[in-house]
Amino acid sequence: MRAAVVLVALGLFLTTAPIQAGDEIYKLGADSQRQEGVPQGTVTDHVWRSKIFPGTIRRYSVYVPAQYDKSQPAALMVFQDGHAYLNETGQFRATVVMDNLIHQKAMPVTIGLFIDPGYLQEELPAGRRGWQPRPENRSFEYDTLSDQYARFLLEEIVPETARQYSISADREKRAICGISSGGICAWTVAWERPDQFHKVLSHVGSFTNIRGGHNYPALIRKTERKPIRIFLQDGSGDLDNAHGNWPLANQEMAAALKFAGYDYQFAFGEGAHNGIHGGAILPASLRWLWRDWQPESPGKIEEKN
C-alpha cells in the first residue's frame, strides 16, 4: 500500500495521499517486523461469489499460523478491507504481527480471514488487490446497520474456511477488525452477533451518518450491555465532512461505551484518516484484546462462565 491511504465520503472513493501532519510521530515497532527464529504462517488466496450479497464477487485470503494443529480448534480473527491488513510492506502488516505475537504466546493460535469488499461485476477487476478500482458494494456492506454482513461471515465465509481448518466456536476466541467503514462494520457484526464475536478492533471507524452509524452512541447507552470487548483508535486529524466529524464520533462512541460499562480502550492520537497510527499500535491493540488468553495446560479443561 502506497503512502497514507485516505478513505473518503461514503467509503466508496479511495485514493492515496502524502503523510499528513500528526502522522509522522507514529513508527512501526519490532513486533511489526520480521524476527529471526519466528515461524511464519501461510497465506492462501481465494475468490468468493456471495448469495447473501447477490451479484457480488470478492477476493479473500486465509492466514494459517505455523503453530496450527488441526486437533486443537484455532481462534479466529476477521479483517475487513483484507488487502490493507495483509500487505507486509503496508501500514498494518497484520500477518507479521500475528506471527510474532503467536510465537510470544501473547495471543492464541489464530486463523486470519482477510476479506475484501464485493464488486458488483461478473468477474474480478484485473490487477492487484487494492483500493482501485473501487469495490462498488463496500459502503452497503460495511456501513449498513443490519445483520447482513454478520450472516455473510457466519453462513458463507467462516463455514467455507472451517471445511479445511478447525476453528473454535467459542465467541471469546473470535475477533473482528476493520478500518474506516470496515471499523464500524466490525462493531456491527459483534453488536448483531455477540454470541459469535467477542473482540472488536476499529481503526478510524466511520461512526458517522453515512448509513445511520451516528446512532450507535445512543443505542449503546439505551441497550443492555452486550458481551463485547472493543479497542477504538482515531486521530484529531481525521475526517470532517457532510457525513459527520470522525474524531467527535469516535469520542462519542468511547463516552457511550464508558457509560454503559463496556470493556473498552480508546487510543486517540493526532493522525489523519489512514492506518499509520493504528498500524503502529496494532501489536499493543492485539495484546490488549487477547490479554486474558492463556495457553491451556495439558489435560486442563477450559472453564466457561
Side-chain angles (χ1 to χ4, degrees):
M1 186 163 49
R2 303 181 302 277
V5 175
V6 178
L7 302 90
V8 186
L10 288 173
L12 295 175
F13 178 72
L14 301 100
T15 186
T16 57
I19 293 176
Q20 299 186 31
D23 292 324
E24 69 280 355
I25 64 175
Y26 302 112
K27 308 295 182 184
L28 294 175
D31 284 333
S32 299
Q33 314 291 341
R34 284 289 175 204
Q35 302 293 323
E36 185 177 355
V38 173
Q40 295 185 24
T42 60
V43 176
T44 55
D45 298 328
H46 309 268
V47 174
W48 188 259
R49 298 181 187 272
S50 176
K51 295 181 180 178
I52 289 178
F53 292 111
T56 63
I57 185 171
R58 75 194 66 229
R59 296 180 176 92
Y60 74 98
S61 298
V62 181
Y63 158 84
V64 180
Q67 298 86 345
Y68 169 75
D69 178 351
K70 64 181 180 181
S71 69
Q72 300 292 325
L76 174 70
M77 189 158 188
V78 178
F79 296 83
Q80 276 64 246
D81 290 315
H83 63 87
Y85 288 92
L86 196 62
N87 186 349
E88 287 201 9
T89 61
Q91 295 170 345
F92 291 106
R93 309 183 185 192
T95 58
V96 176
V97 174
M98 292 172 74
D99 280 344
N100 288 329
L101 296 193
I102 291 170
H103 179 67
Q104 298 165 20
K105 295 184 169 55
M107 65 181 291
V109 172
T110 303
I111 287 176
L113 282 175
F114 295 83
I115 308 171
D116 289 0
Y119 289 92
L120 293 167
Q121 302 178 23
E122 285 297 319
E123 301 295 335
L124 286 165
R128 298 175 56 189
R129 292 166 69 171
W131 304 115
Q132 296 294 345
R134 62 179 177 86
E136 303 94 335
N137 216 44
R138 182 176 185 271
S139 179
F140 178 74
E141 293 177 10
Y142 286 2
D143 294 307
T144 301
L145 274 59
S146 76
D147 70 347
Q148 192 170 3
Y149 194 84
R151 291 192 293 109
F152 161 71
L153 293 179
L154 296 171
E155 297 175 24
E156 294 188 352
I157 300 292
V158 173
E160 177 67 16
T161 307
R163 295 181 199 279
Q164 186 170 359
Y165 303 104
S166 179
I167 297 174
S168 176
D170 184 354
R171 65 177 181 82
E172 301 284 343
K173 293 184 178 179
R174 291 191 173 188
I176 187 164
C177 172
I179 182 172
S180 188
S181 293
I184 190 173
C185 178
W187 170 258
T188 298
V189 168
W191 179 261
E192 294 289 339
R193 295 300 305 269
D195 61 314
Q196 293 290 324
F197 287 93
H198 173 245
K199 298 170 175 63
V200 175
L201 178 52
S202 169
H203 296 121
V204 294
S206 299
F207 297 99
T208 53
N209 192 14
I210 297 176
R211 296 177 185 268
H214 64 300
N215 290 308
Y216 267 133
L219 290 171
I220 290 167
R221 288 174 180 271
K222 293 189 174 184
T223 304
E224 183 179 353
R225 179 171 54 86
K226 299 185 180 186
I228 302 171
R229 173 180 295 173
I230 178 169
F231 191 108
L232 293 170
Q233 173 273 324
D234 198 28
S236 59
D238 204 348
L239 297 174
D240 184 14
N241 59 33
H243 305 294
N245 181 286
W246 269 247
L248 178 59
N250 277 272
Q251 290 177 77
E252 288 181 339
M253 278 290 293
L257 292 165
K258 180 179 179 180
F259 173 82
Y262 275 81
D263 183 6
Y264 83 101
Q265 280 287 309
F266 181 35
F268 189 61
E270 300 177 23
H273 197 78
N274 55 52
I276 295 175
H277 179 203
I281 65 172
L282 180 60
S285 306
L286 293 179
R287 288 178 185 277
W288 182 83
L289 281 175
W290 297 100
R291 67 187 187 274
D292 48 8
W293 172 82
Q294 293 294 331
E296 295 181 32
S297 301
K300 178 180 176 182
I301 299 176
E302 186 176 2
E303 296 180 358
K304 304 289 184 181
N305 292 328

